[in-house]
């Protein structure tokens, strides 16, 4: 991996950590701005580097650096919210793949890719939440409670972030192509430089 790619991955790893510091307490799943970095990493870096940046974030947190919304360390594996972190990794890949594969450039289509990313994150997160509450915390949630606390309560704020990120991505992607090595990141929207 080239130094420039490493820099981009590190930048989005840092942005994800910063997003975790902005949190609104909600039962079970705190609302944070981490999903912003997930949308942007996938869309601007592509599926491979975008998901790698989120994977680095998760790895740093599990290593003990308190970058998660509620700290860090290996004990986070047993938290009901850890599935959302796994969902972020997969979500960044999904977002980058959709935007690159279908060459999405309209705000509406980018928004739909962001929604697909959000659904991916929530699917993985809710499955983990259900299992963790049942088998680790021994305080089982019903399927309705899992969907209520794990999806319906936090989702409206994340949908607003979907819209905001669609506008940002629409504006930033073409400008970013001047600075990013096109072959390195394999962005179909960028024009080759001579």
């Amino acid at each position: 991996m080239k130094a420039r790619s490493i820099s981009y991955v590190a930048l989005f790893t840092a942005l994800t950590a910063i997003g975790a510091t902005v949190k609104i307490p909600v039962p079970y799943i705190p609302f944070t701005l981490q999903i912003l970095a997930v949308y942007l990493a996938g869309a601007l870096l592509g599926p491979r580097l975008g998901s790698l940046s989120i994977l680095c974030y998760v790895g740093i947190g599990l290593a003990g650096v308190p970058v998660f919304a509620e700290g860090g360390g290996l004990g986070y594996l047993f938290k009901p919210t850890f599935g959302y972190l796994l969902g972020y990794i997969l979500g960044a890949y999904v977002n980058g793949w959709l935007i690159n594969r279908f060459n999405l450039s309209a705000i509406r289509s980018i928004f739909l890719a962001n929604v697909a990313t959000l659904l991916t994150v929530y699917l993985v997160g809710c499955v983990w939440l259900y299992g963790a509450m049942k088998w680790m915390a021994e305080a089982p949630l019903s399927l309705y409670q899992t969907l209520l606390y794990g999806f319906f309560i936090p989702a409206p704020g994340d949908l607003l972030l979907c819209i905001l990120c669609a506008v940002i991505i629409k504006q930033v992607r073409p400008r970013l192509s001047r600075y990013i090595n096109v072959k390195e990141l394999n962005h179909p929207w960028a024009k080759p430089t001579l």
Side-chain angles (χ1 to χ4, degrees):
M1 188 181 295
K2 295 185 178 179
R4 184 178 287 188
S5 297
I6 293 170
S7 300
Y8 294 138
V9 168
L11 172 66
F12 281 93
T13 299
L15 286 175
T16 311
I18 291 167
T21 64
V22 180
K23 61 183 175 182
I24 299 170
V26 177
Y28 295 102
I29 312 300
F31 176 78
T32 68
L33 296 181
Q34 291 165 297
I35 195 78
L36 280 172
V38 173
Y39 298 140
L40 294 173
L44 301 177
L45 298 183
R48 186 176 61 88
L49 292 182
S51 59
L52 179 60
S53 70
I54 308 301
L55 179 63
C56 288
Y57 165 73
V58 172
I60 289 168
L62 290 177
V65 180
V67 294
F68 297 148
E70 297 174 353
L74 282 175
Y76 224 86
L77 287 167
F78 303 104
K79 286 195 170 276
T81 57
F82 183 71
Y84 293 90
L85 296 173
L86 295 176
Y88 289 159
I89 299 167
L90 183 58
Y93 188 90
V94 167
N95 201 20
W97 184 83
L98 287 171
I99 288 174
N100 285 333
R101 173 67 176 86
F102 299 105
N103 197 20
L104 304 179
S105 59
I107 290 176
R108 181 175 181 264
S109 58
I110 295 170
F111 167 73
L112 293 175
N114 289 346
V115 170
T117 299
L118 186 63
L119 292 175
T120 301
V121 169
Y122 277 116
L123 175 65
V124 176
C126 284
V127 168
W128 189 279
L129 175 64
Y130 182 82
M133 294 304 291
K134 184 172 183 176
W135 292 297
M136 290 185 241
E138 296 182 4
L141 296 175
S142 68
L143 183 58
Y144 171 76
Q145 289 172 317
T146 302
L147 291 174
L148 177 66
Y149 295 118
F151 178 72
F152 291 116
I153 291 176
D158 287 339
L159 280 172
L160 291 176
L161 295 178
C162 279
I163 297 167
L164 174 65
C165 279
V167 173
I168 292 171
I169 292 164
K170 167 72 175 172
Q171 297 300 317
V172 172
R173 276 191 335 162
R175 291 179 176 95
L176 196 62
S177 67
R178 290 182 248 164
Y179 305 103
I180 293 181
N181 182 333
V182 179
K183 290 181 183 177
E184 186 176 311
L185 298 183
N186 194 24
H187 281 176
W189 67 79
K191 295 177 182 175
T193 56
L194 299 176

